[in-house]
Amino acid sequence: MQIVLIEGDGIGPEVTQAACRVIAAAGVKIDWVKASAGMVAAEQFGEPLPDETLEMIRRYRVALKGPCTTPVGKGYRSINVRLRQGLELFASVRPVNTLPGVKTPYEKVDLIVVRENTEGLYAGLEHQVVPGVVESVRLITRPAAERIVRFAFELARRHDRRMVTFCHKADVMRLSDGLFLECARAVADDYPFIQFEEKTIDNVCLELAMDPTQYDVLVMENLFGDVISDLGAGLVGGLGLVPGANLGTRYAVFEAVHGSAPDIAGKGLANPIAILRSAALMMEHVGRGSVALQIERAVVKTLQAGVGLTRDLGGTGTTATITEQLIKNLGA
Ligand code: ATP
C-alpha cells in the first residue's frame, strides 16, 4: 500500500515518524511516499505547497500529514486552505472523546465535529478597499452547504449516532447563515430517523463548556469549526490527543488538530498520539478497520498505564518513551 507522507514543520517530523513506527509495529506494510510542504518546502523549493505535493496526493489519493506552518509576510496563502481547496477536501472530521486515564473536567464526552472546509470566511477572499479598510467575504453556497450537512448525516447514520446539531449565527448573518440553515433543514428532512437540532454558535460554546455530553455530531461552517475543534480538544485532554481527517470525494488527508508547536520542536517532547490516532482514522478509511482498532486500544492502554507519558499528559517522558509504550501495548 502506497500512502503519501508529509512530515511538516516543527514537531511534525518527530510525531509522524513515531506514528509510522507504531503502524509498522502493528504489522502494516506501507510504502510511504514522502512529499514536502510547509516552511521546509518554502526554503527548499521557494514554495510552501509545491505542485508536486498536490500531484502526489492526487496520484496516491491518501496522505498522512504533519502540521505545516505557512511563512508569514511573503504573500503566501495558507497551505492548509490551499490543500483543502485544491483537493476538494470539503469535510473536516474531528472525533472528540474522553479517553480512559486522561483527567478531564467531564467524563463520557463523545462528539464528532464536522466542519465545512472550503468556504466561509476562510475562502481567502479578502481585499483592501482603501488603506485602513479591508473586507473579507464570507462565502456560502448552496451546493457546499448541502454537501457538508449531508456528509454529517451520512456519518451519523454509519456510526449509529442519534443527533446532528447544526451550529450557526443566522440571527446576525442573515443571508449567509440564513442560506446555510435553510440547506441544513432541507437535508435533515431526508433523515427523519436522526434527531436534528439547530443552535447558535455562541450558545453551543456555552453549553460545551457546561455540559459537552449533551452533544453528538456537530456540523458548521469553516471558522466556527476551527474554533470548536480546539475547544473540543481542550475538553478531552488537549491538542496532543485529538485526531482529524480532511475528506473529499476523491482524496483524503489525515492530520492532527495541533500545529507545529515551535516551543517544543526538536526537543523530543511532543506527544505523537494525535497524529497516531489520525493514522488510525486513515487505516479505517483504507479498509483496515482492525488495525485502527488495535491502535486505539494501544492508545487507551498506554494512557491507562500512565508509563512513559509526555509532559502535556502530566508525565515526564518523551516522544521516544511514549512511542515505546504504544508499541508495547499493540499486542495487549
Ligand atoms: P502553529 O503556528 O503551527 O499553529 P502554535 O504554537 O500556534 O503552532 P500549536 O502548535 O497547536 O499552536 O501549539 C499550541 C500549544 O500546544 C503549544 O504550547 C504546544 O507546545 C502544545 N502542543 C501542541 N501539540 C502538541 C503535542 N503534539 N504534544 C505536546 N504539546 C503540544
Side-chain angles (χ1 to χ4, degrees):
M1 179 171 22
Q2 288 177 303
I3 290 178
V4 175
L5 177 68
I6 299 171
E7 292 190 338
D9 297 310
I11 59 171
E14 301 163 63
V15 293
T16 48
Q17 280 160 25
C20 291
R21 278 189 59 205
V22 178
I23 293 169
V28 187
K29 289 209 169 30
I30 296 178
D31 186 3
W32 296 105
V33 183
K34 284 204 182 178
S36 191
M39 296 292 257
V40 204
E43 279 155 26
Q44 208 178 337
F45 307 105
E47 168 54 55
L49 184 60
D51 285 343
E52 299 82 69
T53 298
L54 280 172
E55 268 319 304
M56 272 193 207
I57 302 175
R58 289 196 183 103
R59 188 174 325 143
Y60 298 104
R61 298 193 168 222
V62 178
L64 181 66
K65 174 181 165 295
C68 292
T69 308
T70 303
V72 183
K74 289 194 182 164
Y76 293 125
R77 277 183 61 211
S78 161
I79 298 168
N80 287 333
V81 170
R82 276 180 55 209
L83 197 67
R84 288 163 192 167
Q85 288 178 345
L87 299 171
E88 276 250 48
L89 302 170
F90 67 86
S92 157
V93 179
R94 275 140 190 206
V96 171
N97 58 295
T98 35
L99 290 158
V102 182
K103 267 216 177 97
T104 52
Y106 300 99
E107 286 169 19
K108 299 194 178 137
V109 178
D110 188 10
L111 317 169
I112 304 179
V113 180
V114 177
R115 159 185 172 192
E116 205 291 323
N117 242 350
T118 60
E119 299 193 337
L121 269 173
Y122 288 8
L125 303 173
E126 291 188 318
H127 66 273
Q128 178 177 285
V129 182
V130 289
V133 182
V134 295
E135 282 180 351
S136 298
V137 175
R138 188 170 189 269
L139 179 72
I140 303 290
T141 66
R142 187 182 294 281
E146 285 178 354
R147 179 172 66 174
I148 194 68
V149 179
R150 193 167 296 284
F151 178 94
F153 272 99
E154 282 299 316
L155 186 83
R157 190 179 57 76
R158 276 200 315 277
H159 292 268
D160 278 332
R161 296 287 185 147
R162 69 190 155 84
M163 181 170 70
V164 172
T165 304
F166 175 66
C167 313
H168 66 89
K169 197 67 188 167
D171 47 340
V172 177
M173 294 181 282
R174 289 173 178 272
L175 278 182
S176 58
D177 264 4
L179 172 61
F180 212 142
L181 179 57
E182 185 192 313
C183 295
R185 286 175 181 162
V187 172
D189 282 347
D190 292 341
Y191 297 86
F193 44 91
I194 297 172
Q195 196 187 329
F196 172 68
E197 63 171 19
E198 41 189 72
K199 287 208 173 158
T200 59
I201 189 68
D202 42 342
N203 190 14
V204 171
C205 287
L206 174 80
E207 290 184 353
L208 279 174
M210 294 186 71
D211 177 17
T213 60
Q214 64 189 288
Y215 287 108
D216 195 348
V217 176
L218 297 139
V219 59
M220 65 205 77
E221 64 88 55
N222 216 334
L223 166 67
F224 295 163
D226 194 9
V227 176
I228 294 295
S229 297
D230 272 30
L231 170 56
L235 289 170
V236 297
L239 289 170
L241 294 173
V242 179
N246 293 297
L247 306 172
T249 40
R250 296 171 70 99
Y251 313 112
V253 176
F254 296 82
E255 64 180 334
V257 173
H258 64 71
S260 60
D263 52 333
I264 56 166
K267 297 181 180 162
L269 299 174
N271 179 357
I273 288 182
I275 190 84
L276 178 62
R277 295 182 75 208
S278 309
L281 293 177
M282 184 180 81
M283 287 291 110
E284 199 180 324
H285 179 82
V286 298
R288 303 292 297 270
S290 59
V291 178
L293 217 64
Q294 190 187 3
I295 292 173
E296 274 292 307
R297 284 203 191 111
V299 168
V300 168
K301 190 92 199 290
T302 302
L303 293 169
Q304 272 175 330
V307 179
L309 300 188
T310 43
R311 290 185 196 176
D312 59 307
L313 297 172
T316 55
T318 61
T319 313
T321 60
I322 197 169
T323 307
E324 287 312 322
Q325 293 303 312
L326 288 162
I327 290 172
K328 191 179 125 208
N329 289 323
L330 277 173

